[in-house]
Amino acid sequence: MIDSIPQTKPVTILIVDDDDVDVLGIERALKKLKIVNPILRAHDGIEALQILRQPNGIARPYLILLDINMPRMNGQEMLAELRLDKSLSSAVVFVLTTSQDDQDKVLAYSQHVAGYIVKQHVGDGFMNVIEMLDRYWRLVELPIA
């Protein structure tokens, strides 16, 4: 489980995606793997930044699963704003998107994402993604403050 790492607080997962079916797939994979971390959802970058910037909004440590193609503020725009904000710039972000565009990949990595995952390559639903995150969190330590 993601929260099985030696942290005093569980890792919160912020899913930023406008596709309800994809979000349900992620939530089902978490449940099937018995990962009970807190989950928050934003439908676009604007909503995600509002959640992240609330005084008592989202506690550290947290992980962001970010889609690229969304209305109002897309994932690339959100990443750019996130990295400019000193209080949010160190956020761990995995892009989880349908975009296979090389420009999107290059731009995302230039904004220091931890990984770029194409939804069509996920295979067995979102199970592989969640299992990868579980392994990642067992090895990586993040500041809680």
PDB file of all heavy atoms in Angstrom, residues 30-56:
ATOM      1  N   LEU A  30      -7.489   1.291  -6.894  1.00  0.00           N
ATOM      2  CA  LEU A  30      -7.052   1.552  -5.518  1.00  0.00           C
ATOM      3  C   LEU A  30      -7.776   0.634  -4.544  1.00  0.00           C
ATOM      4  O   LEU A  30      -7.165   0.043  -3.656  1.00  0.00           O
ATOM      5  CB  LEU A  30      -7.304   3.015  -5.149  1.00  0.00           C
ATOM      6  CG  LEU A  30      -6.376   4.044  -5.795  1.00  0.00           C
ATOM      7  CD1 LEU A  30      -6.971   5.434  -5.689  1.00  0.00           C
ATOM      8  CD2 LEU A  30      -4.998   3.984  -5.166  1.00  0.00           C
ATOM      9  N   LYS A  31      -9.084   0.523  -4.733  1.00  0.00           N
ATOM     10  CA  LYS A  31      -9.896  -0.311  -3.845  1.00  0.00           C
ATOM     11  C   LYS A  31      -9.510  -1.786  -3.973  1.00  0.00           C
ATOM     12  O   LYS A  31      -9.360  -2.485  -2.975  1.00  0.00           O
ATOM     13  CB  LYS A  31     -11.376  -0.117  -4.186  1.00  0.00           C
ATOM     14  CG  LYS A  31     -12.324  -0.721  -3.198  1.00  0.00           C
ATOM     15  CD  LYS A  31     -13.764  -0.409  -3.595  1.00  0.00           C
ATOM     16  CE  LYS A  31     -14.577  -0.116  -2.365  1.00  0.00           C
ATOM     17  NZ  LYS A  31     -15.951   0.251  -2.681  1.00  0.00           N
ATOM     18  N   LYS A  32      -9.323  -2.255  -5.208  1.00  0.00           N
ATOM     19  CA  LYS A  32      -8.979  -3.656  -5.442  1.00  0.00           C
ATOM     20  C   LYS A  32      -7.635  -4.007  -4.809  1.00  0.00           C
ATOM     21  O   LYS A  32      -7.439  -5.113  -4.307  1.00  0.00           O
ATOM     22  CB  LYS A  32      -8.940  -3.950  -6.945  1.00  0.00           C
ATOM     23  CG  LYS A  32      -8.818  -5.406  -7.276  1.00  0.00           C
ATOM     24  CD  LYS A  32      -9.028  -5.663  -8.748  1.00  0.00           C
ATOM     25  CE  LYS A  32      -9.001  -7.156  -9.025  1.00  0.00           C
ATOM     26  NZ  LYS A  32      -9.259  -7.452 -10.429  1.00  0.00           N
ATOM     27  N   LEU A  33      -6.701  -3.052  -4.823  1.00  0.00           N
ATOM     28  CA  LEU A  33      -5.385  -3.281  -4.218  1.00  0.00           C
ATOM     29  C   LEU A  33      -5.367  -2.927  -2.736  1.00  0.00           C
ATOM     30  O   LEU A  33      -4.314  -2.933  -2.112  1.00  0.00           O
ATOM     31  CB  LEU A  33      -4.320  -2.481  -4.974  1.00  0.00           C
ATOM     32  CG  LEU A  33      -4.043  -2.962  -6.394  1.00  0.00           C
ATOM     33  CD1 LEU A  33      -3.186  -1.962  -7.153  1.00  0.00           C
ATOM     34  CD2 LEU A  33      -3.377  -4.329  -6.371  1.00  0.00           C
ATOM     35  N   LYS A  34      -6.541  -2.598  -2.204  1.00  0.00           N
ATOM     36  CA  LYS A  34      -6.705  -2.278  -0.777  1.00  0.00           C
ATOM     37  C   LYS A  34      -5.855  -1.085  -0.340  1.00  0.00           C
ATOM     38  O   LYS A  34      -5.314  -1.051   0.753  1.00  0.00           O
ATOM     39  CB  LYS A  34      -6.419  -3.502   0.086  1.00  0.00           C
ATOM     40  CG  LYS A  34      -7.407  -4.634  -0.153  1.00  0.00           C
ATOM     41  CD  LYS A  34      -7.066  -5.828   0.699  1.00  0.00           C
ATOM     42  CE  LYS A  34      -8.032  -6.936   0.665  1.00  0.00           C
ATOM     43  NZ  LYS A  34      -8.604  -7.483  -0.431  1.00  0.00           N
ATOM     44  N   ILE A  35      -5.740  -0.114  -1.227  1.00  0.00           N
ATOM     45  CA  ILE A  35      -5.043   1.130  -0.918  1.00  0.00           C
ATOM     46  C   ILE A  35      -6.103   2.121  -0.465  1.00  0.00           C
ATOM     47  O   ILE A  35      -6.992   2.474  -1.225  1.00  0.00           O
ATOM     48  CB  ILE A  35      -4.245   1.647  -2.129  1.00  0.00           C
ATOM     49  CG1 ILE A  35      -3.161   0.620  -2.483  1.00  0.00           C
ATOM     50  CG2 ILE A  35      -3.649   3.012  -1.845  1.00  0.00           C
ATOM     51  CD1 ILE A  35      -2.404   0.907  -3.749  1.00  0.00           C
ATOM     52  N   VAL A  36      -6.018   2.522   0.789  1.00  0.00           N
ATOM     53  CA  VAL A  36      -7.085   3.323   1.398  1.00  0.00           C
ATOM     54  C   VAL A  36      -6.662   4.777   1.665  1.00  0.00           C
ATOM     55  O   VAL A  36      -7.225   5.432   2.526  1.00  0.00           O
ATOM     56  CB  VAL A  36      -7.583   2.664   2.707  1.00  0.00           C
ATOM     57  CG1 VAL A  36      -8.264   1.340   2.411  1.00  0.00           C
ATOM     58  CG2 VAL A  36      -6.437   2.477   3.695  1.00  0.00           C
ATOM     59  N   ASN A  37      -5.686   5.237   0.913  1.00  0.00           N
ATOM     60  CA  ASN A  37      -5.232   6.611   1.080  1.00  0.00           C
ATOM     61  C   ASN A  37      -6.358   7.590   0.767  1.00  0.00           C
ATOM     62  O   ASN A  37      -7.236   7.293  -0.041  1.00  0.00           O
ATOM     63  CB  ASN A  37      -4.060   6.882   0.139  1.00  0.00           C
ATOM     64  CG  ASN A  37      -2.884   6.005   0.446  1.00  0.00           C
ATOM     65  OD1 ASN A  37      -2.991   4.790   0.410  1.00  0.00           O
ATOM     66  ND2 ASN A  37      -1.772   6.612   0.764  1.00  0.00           N
ATOM     67  N   PRO A  38      -6.300   8.780   1.383  1.00  0.00           N
ATOM     68  CA  PRO A  38      -7.289   9.801   1.047  1.00  0.00           C
ATOM     69  C   PRO A  38      -7.180  10.172  -0.435  1.00  0.00           C
ATOM     70  O   PRO A  38      -6.071  10.278  -0.973  1.00  0.00           O
ATOM     71  CB  PRO A  38      -6.894  10.989   1.927  1.00  0.00           C
ATOM     72  CG  PRO A  38      -6.009  10.436   2.990  1.00  0.00           C
ATOM     73  CD  PRO A  38      -5.359   9.212   2.417  1.00  0.00           C
ATOM     74  N   ILE A  39      -8.324  10.345  -1.083  1.00  0.00           N
ATOM     75  CA  ILE A  39      -8.364  10.705  -2.500  1.00  0.00           C
ATOM     76  C   ILE A  39      -9.194  11.965  -2.658  1.00  0.00           C
ATOM     77  O   ILE A  39     -10.303  12.063  -2.123  1.00  0.00           O
ATOM     78  CB  ILE A  39      -9.000   9.578  -3.345  1.00  0.00           C
ATOM     79  CG1 ILE A  39      -8.210   8.283  -3.192  1.00  0.00           C
ATOM     80  CG2 ILE A  39      -9.087   9.989  -4.809  1.00  0.00           C
ATOM     81  CD1 ILE A  39      -8.912   7.078  -3.779  1.00  0.00           C
ATOM     82  N   LEU A  40      -8.645  12.911  -3.398  1.00  0.00           N
ATOM     83  CA  LEU A  40      -9.375  14.114  -3.780  1.00  0.00           C
ATOM     84  C   LEU A  40      -9.412  14.149  -5.297  1.00  0.00           C
ATOM     85  O   LEU A  40      -8.522  13.616  -5.956  1.00  0.00           O
ATOM     86  CB  LEU A  40      -8.686  15.371  -3.250  1.00  0.00           C
ATOM     87  CG  LEU A  40      -8.611  15.509  -1.730  1.00  0.00           C
ATOM     88  CD1 LEU A  40      -7.740  16.700  -1.357  1.00  0.00           C
ATOM     89  CD2 LEU A  40     -10.005  15.691  -1.157  1.00  0.00           C
ATOM     90  N   ARG A  41     -10.430  14.825  -5.839  1.00  0.00           N
ATOM     91  CA  ARG A  41     -10.553  14.886  -7.290  1.00  0.00           C
ATOM     92  C   ARG A  41     -10.848  16.315  -7.713  1.00  0.00           C
ATOM     93  O   ARG A  41     -11.659  17.013  -7.110  1.00  0.00           O
ATOM     94  CB  ARG A  41     -11.682  13.970  -7.741  1.00  0.00           C
ATOM     95  CG  ARG A  41     -11.717  13.714  -9.250  1.00  0.00           C
ATOM     96  CD  ARG A  41     -12.862  14.408  -9.938  1.00  0.00           C
ATOM     97  NE  ARG A  41     -12.859  14.166 -11.368  1.00  0.00           N
ATOM     98  CZ  ARG A  41     -13.851  13.596 -12.021  1.00  0.00           C
ATOM     99  NH1 ARG A  41     -14.913  13.182 -11.379  1.00  0.00           N
ATOM    100  NH2 ARG A  41     -13.778  13.471 -13.323  1.00  0.00           N
ATOM    101  N   ALA A  42     -10.166  16.742  -8.761  1.00  0.00           N
ATOM    102  CA  ALA A  42     -10.439  18.029  -9.398  1.00  0.00           C
ATOM    103  C   ALA A  42     -10.728  17.750 -10.867  1.00  0.00           C
ATOM    104  O   ALA A  42     -10.137  16.843 -11.459  1.00  0.00           O
ATOM    105  CB  ALA A  42      -9.240  18.958  -9.257  1.00  0.00           C
ATOM    106  N   HIS A  43     -11.633  18.535 -11.457  1.00  0.00           N
ATOM    107  CA  HIS A  43     -12.034  18.320 -12.845  1.00  0.00           C
ATOM    108  C   HIS A  43     -11.149  19.053 -13.847  1.00  0.00           C
ATOM    109  O   HIS A  43     -11.250  18.812 -15.050  1.00  0.00           O
ATOM    110  CB  HIS A  43     -13.495  18.735 -13.044  1.00  0.00           C
ATOM    111  CG  HIS A  43     -14.454  17.858 -12.290  1.00  0.00           C
ATOM    112  ND1 HIS A  43     -14.750  18.047 -10.965  1.00  0.00           N
ATOM    113  CD2 HIS A  43     -15.140  16.764 -12.685  1.00  0.00           C
ATOM    114  CE1 HIS A  43     -15.605  17.119 -10.571  1.00  0.00           C
ATOM    115  NE2 HIS A  43     -15.853  16.324 -11.587  1.00  0.00           N
ATOM    116  N   ASP A  44     -10.319  19.971 -13.371  1.00  0.00           N
ATOM    117  CA  ASP A  44      -9.414  20.715 -14.246  1.00  0.00           C
ATOM    118  C   ASP A  44      -8.341  21.386 -13.399  1.00  0.00           C
ATOM    119  O   ASP A  44      -8.354  21.299 -12.170  1.00  0.00           O
ATOM    120  CB  ASP A  44     -10.175  21.746 -15.086  1.00  0.00           C
ATOM    121  CG  ASP A  44     -10.937  22.771 -14.264  1.00  0.00           C
ATOM    122  OD1 ASP A  44     -10.424  23.229 -13.220  1.00  0.00           O
ATOM    123  OD2 ASP A  44     -12.057  23.138 -14.663  1.00  0.00           O
ATOM    124  N   GLY A  45      -7.416  22.060 -14.071  1.00  0.00           N
ATOM    125  CA  GLY A  45      -6.308  22.695 -13.371  1.00  0.00           C
ATOM    126  C   GLY A  45      -6.721  23.795 -12.422  1.00  0.00           C
ATOM    127  O   GLY A  45      -6.119  23.956 -11.356  1.00  0.00           O
ATOM    128  N   ILE A  46      -7.729  24.542 -12.776  1.00  0.00           N
ATOM    129  CA  ILE A  46      -8.203  25.639 -11.917  1.00  0.00           C
ATOM    130  C   ILE A  46      -8.694  25.074 -10.591  1.00  0.00           C
ATOM    131  O   ILE A  46      -8.319  25.546  -9.508  1.00  0.00           O
ATOM    132  CB  ILE A  46      -9.302  26.468 -12.613  1.00  0.00           C
ATOM    133  CG1 ILE A  46      -8.703  27.242 -13.790  1.00  0.00           C
ATOM    134  CG2 ILE A  46      -9.982  27.415 -11.631  1.00  0.00           C
ATOM    135  CD1 ILE A  46      -9.730  27.935 -14.676  1.00  0.00           C
ATOM    136  N   GLU A  47      -9.531  24.052 -10.669  1.00  0.00           N
ATOM    137  CA  GLU A  47     -10.071  23.432  -9.460  1.00  0.00           C
ATOM    138  C   GLU A  47      -8.946  22.798  -8.624  1.00  0.00           C
ATOM    139  O   GLU A  47      -8.933  22.902  -7.396  1.00  0.00           O
ATOM    140  CB  GLU A  47     -11.115  22.381  -9.840  1.00  0.00           C
ATOM    141  CG  GLU A  47     -11.886  21.816  -8.675  1.00  0.00           C
ATOM    142  CD  GLU A  47     -12.948  20.809  -9.098  1.00  0.00           C
ATOM    143  OE1 GLU A  47     -13.348  20.773 -10.286  1.00  0.00           O
ATOM    144  OE2 GLU A  47     -13.381  20.043  -8.220  1.00  0.00           O
ATOM    145  N   ALA A  48      -7.982  22.167  -9.286  1.00  0.00           N
ATOM    146  CA  ALA A  48      -6.866  21.539  -8.569  1.00  0.00           C
ATOM    147  C   ALA A  48      -6.039  22.581  -7.822  1.00  0.00           C
ATOM    148  O   ALA A  48      -5.694  22.381  -6.651  1.00  0.00           O
ATOM    149  CB  ALA A  48      -5.985  20.772  -9.547  1.00  0.00           C
ATOM    150  N   LEU A  49      -5.727  23.684  -8.468  1.00  0.00           N
ATOM    151  CA  LEU A  49      -4.943  24.735  -7.810  1.00  0.00           C
ATOM    152  C   LEU A  49      -5.709  25.336  -6.631  1.00  0.00           C
ATOM    153  O   LEU A  49      -5.116  25.665  -5.606  1.00  0.00           O
ATOM    154  CB  LEU A  49      -4.533  25.809  -8.815  1.00  0.00           C
ATOM    155  CG  LEU A  49      -3.457  25.367  -9.812  1.00  0.00           C
ATOM    156  CD1 LEU A  49      -3.308  26.384 -10.931  1.00  0.00           C
ATOM    157  CD2 LEU A  49      -2.133  25.110  -9.112  1.00  0.00           C
ATOM    158  N   GLN A  50      -7.030  25.448  -6.771  1.00  0.00           N
ATOM    159  CA  GLN A  50      -7.839  25.946  -5.648  1.00  0.00           C
ATOM    160  C   GLN A  50      -7.732  25.000  -4.459  1.00  0.00           C
ATOM    161  O   GLN A  50      -7.564  25.430  -3.324  1.00  0.00           O
ATOM    162  CB  GLN A  50      -9.305  26.109  -6.067  1.00  0.00           C
ATOM    163  CG  GLN A  50      -9.541  27.282  -6.988  1.00  0.00           C
ATOM    164  CD  GLN A  50     -10.959  27.302  -7.571  1.00  0.00           C
ATOM    165  OE1 GLN A  50     -11.687  26.319  -7.509  1.00  0.00           O
ATOM    166  NE2 GLN A  50     -11.332  28.435  -8.150  1.00  0.00           N
ATOM    167  N   ILE A  51      -7.811  23.706  -4.721  1.00  0.00           N
ATOM    168  CA  ILE A  51      -7.691  22.707  -3.650  1.00  0.00           C
ATOM    169  C   ILE A  51      -6.306  22.807  -3.006  1.00  0.00           C
ATOM    170  O   ILE A  51      -6.177  22.812  -1.784  1.00  0.00           O
ATOM    171  CB  ILE A  51      -7.931  21.285  -4.200  1.00  0.00           C
ATOM    172  CG1 ILE A  51      -9.408  21.095  -4.569  1.00  0.00           C
ATOM    173  CG2 ILE A  51      -7.486  20.218  -3.197  1.00  0.00           C
ATOM    174  CD1 ILE A  51      -9.694  19.824  -5.368  1.00  0.00           C
ATOM    175  N   LEU A  52      -5.279  22.872  -3.830  1.00  0.00           N
ATOM    176  CA  LEU A  52      -3.904  22.906  -3.324  1.00  0.00           C
ATOM    177  C   LEU A  52      -3.599  24.180  -2.541  1.00  0.00           C
ATOM    178  O   LEU A  52      -2.766  24.167  -1.636  1.00  0.00           O
ATOM    179  CB  LEU A  52      -2.920  22.757  -4.485  1.00  0.00           C
ATOM    180  CG  LEU A  52      -2.893  21.380  -5.138  1.00  0.00           C
ATOM    181  CD1 LEU A  52      -2.172  21.436  -6.484  1.00  0.00           C
ATOM    182  CD2 LEU A  52      -2.233  20.365  -4.224  1.00  0.00           C
ATOM    183  N   ARG A  53      -4.264  25.267  -2.885  1.00  0.00           N
ATOM    184  CA  ARG A  53      -3.967  26.552  -2.253  1.00  0.00           C
ATOM    185  C   ARG A  53      -4.866  26.879  -1.065  1.00  0.00           C
ATOM    186  O   ARG A  53      -4.642  27.889  -0.403  1.00  0.00           O
ATOM    187  CB  ARG A  53      -4.068  27.667  -3.298  1.00  0.00           C
ATOM    188  CG  ARG A  53      -2.929  27.609  -4.297  1.00  0.00           C
ATOM    189  CD  ARG A  53      -3.067  28.641  -5.364  1.00  0.00           C
ATOM    190  NE  ARG A  53      -1.870  28.675  -6.204  1.00  0.00           N
ATOM    191  CZ  ARG A  53      -1.881  29.044  -7.473  1.00  0.00           C
ATOM    192  NH1 ARG A  53      -2.999  29.434  -8.070  1.00  0.00           N
ATOM    193  NH2 ARG A  53      -0.745  29.051  -8.169  1.00  0.00           N
ATOM    194  N   GLN A  54      -5.850  26.059  -0.777  1.00  0.00           N
ATOM    195  CA  GLN A  54      -6.688  26.292   0.396  1.00  0.00           C
ATOM    196  C   GLN A  54      -5.830  26.179   1.645  1.00  0.00           C
ATOM    197  O   GLN A  54      -4.984  25.287   1.734  1.00  0.00           O
ATOM    198  CB  GLN A  54      -7.818  25.258   0.475  1.00  0.00           C
ATOM    199  CG  GLN A  54      -8.906  25.447  -0.535  1.00  0.00           C
ATOM    200  CD  GLN A  54      -9.927  24.322  -0.452  1.00  0.00           C
ATOM    201  OE1 GLN A  54      -9.863  23.450   0.393  1.00  0.00           O
ATOM    202  NE2 GLN A  54     -10.885  24.350  -1.358  1.00  0.00           N
ATOM    203  N   PRO A  55      -6.057  27.069   2.621  1.00  0.00           N
ATOM    204  CA  PRO A  55      -5.248  27.031   3.846  1.00  0.00           C
ATOM    205  C   PRO A  55      -5.209  25.655   4.511  1.00  0.00           C
ATOM    206  O   PRO A  55      -4.170  25.209   4.951  1.00  0.00           O
ATOM    207  CB  PRO A  55      -5.918  28.065   4.753  1.00  0.00           C
ATOM    208  CG  PRO A  55      -6.646  28.973   3.826  1.00  0.00           C
ATOM    209  CD  PRO A  55      -7.032  28.145   2.627  1.00  0.00           C
ATOM    210  N   ASN A  56      -6.315  24.974   4.580  1.00  0.00           N
ATOM    211  CA  ASN A  56      -6.350  23.631   5.162  1.00  0.00           C
ATOM    212  C   ASN A  56      -6.805  22.612   4.124  1.00  0.00           C
ATOM    213  O   ASN A  56      -7.487  21.655   4.450  1.00  0.00           O
ATOM    214  CB  ASN A  56      -7.273  23.594   6.379  1.00  0.00           C
ATOM    215  CG  ASN A  56      -6.743  24.459   7.503  1.00  0.00           C
ATOM    216  OD1 ASN A  56      -5.549  24.481   7.759  1.00  0.00           O
ATOM    217  ND2 ASN A  56      -7.626  25.191   8.155  1.00  0.00           N
TER     218      ASN A  56
END
